[in-house]
Amino acid sequence: MTTLENRPNTALLVVDVQNGVVAEAHDRDVVVANVGSLVWVQHFDEGLPRGSEDWRIVPELAPDGAESLVEKSYGDSFEGTNLETVLSGLGVGRLVVVGAETDACIRSTLHGAFARGYDATLVSDAHTTGDRTEWGAPPPDQVIAHTNLYWNYQTAPGKTAGTVETKDVDFGGAS
C-alpha cells in the first residue's frame, strides 16, 4: 500500500475539467461523462483568469459544497497549492486521477503524487487532451494511449500505480 502512514483513504482527483481546457479536447463528451467528483483541481493563469467562462468547470459537472476545490497555476496539482494539506486532512494516501490535459497537468500530477508517496491510479478512459499535432505532438488518441501504457507499468518501492477503466474503479483498494 501507500508509503504515507495513517492515510488509508482514496480520493478521486478531478484535474482541470474546465470549459477553456476541454472545449476542443479529444472525446470530450465521453470523458466528461466518465468523470466523477471528490477533490477538484482548477487551473488559473492569464489564459484562464479566475471568474471567466473558460475558467469555470464544465456545466455537466459541478462540485458540491462538501467537496474540496484546490486552485492551481502549475501543471503539477501539488505545486504551489494546498492539495497536500487537503489530502492529509482527509487521510488520503491513494489517488484516482481523471481530467485534462493528458500530456500536461495529468502527467505532472501523477508524477508529483507518486514522488510524494501516493499510490496513483489513472482512469484510462477519463482523461483527455487537445490536438497539438501542428506543434509536432502525436494525435490526441495516441497521447492518451501512450500515457495509459507507460502509467500502467510505473513502479516504485512501496507504492502502486496503474490504470483502470471507469467501470472498474474501486475506491477500496490499490490499483
Side-chain angles (χ1 to χ4, degrees), residues 84-158:
E84 169 55 28
T85 301
V86 169
L87 295 173
S88 176
L90 295 169
V92 171
R94 177 175 172 256
L95 297 175
V96 177
V97 178
V98 301
E101 292 200 79
T102 300
D103 44 355
C105 298
I106 295 299
R107 286 184 183 176
S108 295
T109 297
L110 284 167
H111 289 283
F114 210 57
R116 288 171 174 87
Y118 288 87
D119 293 327
T121 300
L122 176 62
V123 183
S124 63
D125 58 352
H127 63 97
T128 188
T129 193
D131 187 343
R132 308 286 188 267
T133 55
E134 69 181 271
W135 294 285
D141 60 332
Q142 291 179 15
V143 171
I144 292 163
H146 179 252
T147 302
N148 288 337
L149 174 70
Y150 87 75
W151 198 255
N152 197 47
Y153 295 101
Q154 187 72 29
T155 60

Side-chain angles (χ1 to χ4, degrees), residues 73-92:
S73 56
Y74 301 101
D76 180 347
S77 296
F78 290 89
E79 201 63 45
T81 71
N82 68 338
L83 181 57
E84 169 55 28
T85 301
V86 169
L87 295 173
S88 176
L90 295 169
V92 171

Side-chain angles (χ1 to χ4, degrees), residues 9-32:
N9 298 325
T10 299
L12 177 62
L13 192 63
V14 182
V15 179
D16 298 347
V17 185
Q18 296 162 252
N19 290 322
V21 178
V22 301
E24 303 295 322
H26 177 75
D27 285 342
R28 179 223 183 264
D29 294 343
V30 172
V31 170
V32 167

